[in-house]
Amino acid sequence: MAGRIEGKVALVSGGASGLGEAIVRRFAQEGAIIYSGDVNAQQGGPVAAEAGATFLSLDVAREDHWQAAVARIENEHGRLDILVNNAGILGTGPLEHIDVAAWDRLFSINVTGVMLGCKHGSLLMQRNPGGAIGSIINMSSNAAILATAADCGYSATKGAVKLMTQSIAVNFARRGLAIRCNSIHPGPIDTPIFAPWRPDAEKAERLEGQLLEMIPMGRLGRPEEIANMALYLASDESSFSTGAQFVVDGGGTSAVPGM
Ligand SMILES: NC(=O)c1ccc[n+]([C@@H]2O[C@H](COP(=O)([O-])OP(=O)(O)OC[C@H]3O[C@@H](n4cnc5c(N)ncnc54)[C@H](O)[C@@H]3O)[C@@H](O)[C@H]2O)c1
């Protein structure tokens, strides 16, 4: 079935790589008009061009960037139907080694970035011709459900995204706005987010072993499997879902490890 989001206008943050790239490509197959925002223009430009999307230079931590992105979309299409707040980075490591500048940067991207996207994206959705309507999809993590002991910062940011999503969803629903807001909670997915571990082959193998142990299905997820969930939430098929958590993790959060 093609055309599940035909003609809808979508903005995807972090669209240059990994899950965001897969979402841009999947949305393009289903007929959306797509803007892909990222700090990495070198990679994001060609990915967007190949998918027939428009690349925007967007640092999600900067409100002026969101304002410019949304203004451009409003100028060119007069509406926004789908926003995927996907850009995010890994955390700062164990508690005793946390550097405050790195912690602040993590929160500015993973939490403030999502809030700013919701704020400016939903303001345009409220101006959509015909009335307020739209779907906001925030990329959280299974780390918002089960804590990762080695990275309290990442868990904290993804937990914040989960509850921010719920709060925004309830606020819109109670005001009678047809703007839905849901979070996706992927388990470990094979993307470049793990690239910093790869040069140390021994460490990478150990970490991959730990990740696989968490997953009853016995494999890492594929970016397309998250893109398919984003597509469902972007489409009208999910019209009664808001404020909800959509876990895509090969059974990881259902299992007691090893039992
Ligand atoms: N890969 C996984 O296993 C996994 C699991 C759970 C959740 N997630 C979440 O999914 C999202 C995407 O992760 P990924 O695995 O595709 O990572 P990735 O590193 O492949 O892609 C992240 C993208 O975000 C962009 N980005 C980083 N900082 C930005 C900023 N300030 N403004 C705009 N763009 C910025 C990067 O340039 C990159 O293109 C993240 O929020 C991540 O926390 C990933």
Side-chain angles (χ1 to χ4, degrees):
M1 180 170 63
R4 287 164 66 190
I5 47 174
E6 190 72 43
K8 290 191 191 269
V9 181
L11 170 56
V12 181
S13 76
S17 164
L19 305 186
E21 174 180 351
I23 292 167
V24 167
R25 293 186 189 280
R26 189 73 186 91
F27 281 12
Q29 288 167 353
E30 298 294 334
I33 298 158
I34 305 158
Y35 289 83
S36 166
D38 206 292
V39 283
N40 185 347
Q42 207 182 351
Q43 204 170 312
V47 166
E50 231 184 272
T54 302
F55 181 78
L56 295 175
S57 193
L58 173 71
D59 179 345
V60 293
R62 290 192 44 180
E63 187 157 25
D64 57 332
H65 282 205
W66 279 108
Q67 285 163 325
V70 165
R72 176 162 171 194
I73 294 169
E74 187 164 23
N75 272 340
E76 293 179 357
H77 294 285
R79 62 181 303 114
L80 180 66
D81 301 293
I82 301 161
L83 169 66
V84 187
N85 284 307
N86 160 78
I89 59 172
L90 284 181
T92 45
L95 183 63
E96 289 82 357
H97 300 287
I98 287 173
D99 167 73
V100 172
W103 174 269
D104 287 346
R105 178 167 176 269
L106 171 69
F107 273 73
S108 76
I109 294 172
N110 287 15
V111 182
T112 308
V114 174
M115 177 277 292
L116 290 172
C118 290
K119 174 182 170 184
H120 292 286
S122 71
L123 282 168
L124 177 49
M125 288 173 177
Q126 288 177 57
R127 293 193 293 273
N128 279 344
I133 190 161
S135 174
I136 299 176
I137 300 153
N138 293 332
M139 201 60 74
S140 180
S141 168
N142 66 350
I145 297 165
L146 294 175
T148 47
D151 189 350
C152 71
Y154 187 73
S155 294
T157 62
K158 293 303 181 179
V161 169
K162 171 185 173 288
L163 269 167
M164 188 192 328
T165 301
Q166 291 175 254
S167 170
I168 289 168
V170 172
N171 179 293
F172 288 157
R174 290 209 171 128
R175 287 160 59 201
L177 304 177
I179 301 173
R180 300 181 292 110
C181 187
N182 293 289
S183 53
I184 300 182
H185 299 258
I189 314 292
D190 196 5
T191 74
I193 205 168
F194 298 120
W197 300 348
R198 296 223 159 98
D200 182 343
E202 202 182 305
K203 191 177 173 198
E205 201 177 315
R206 194 173 65 247
L207 286 167
E208 186 162 340
Q210 285 171 349
L211 293 176
L212 289 176
E213 246 171 58
M214 281 169 50
I215 309 170
M217 285 177 77
R219 65 169 175 87
L220 299 182
R222 295 185 294 271
E224 307 80 60
E225 292 173 312
I226 304 304
N228 281 330
M229 177 56 79
L231 174 62
Y232 168 69
L233 293 171
S235 77
D236 297 339
E237 296 156 30
S238 55
S239 53
F240 197 47
S241 291
T242 198
Q245 296 89 52
F246 291 81
V247 176
V248 187
D249 73 344
T253 45
S254 286
V256 175
M259 292 181 74

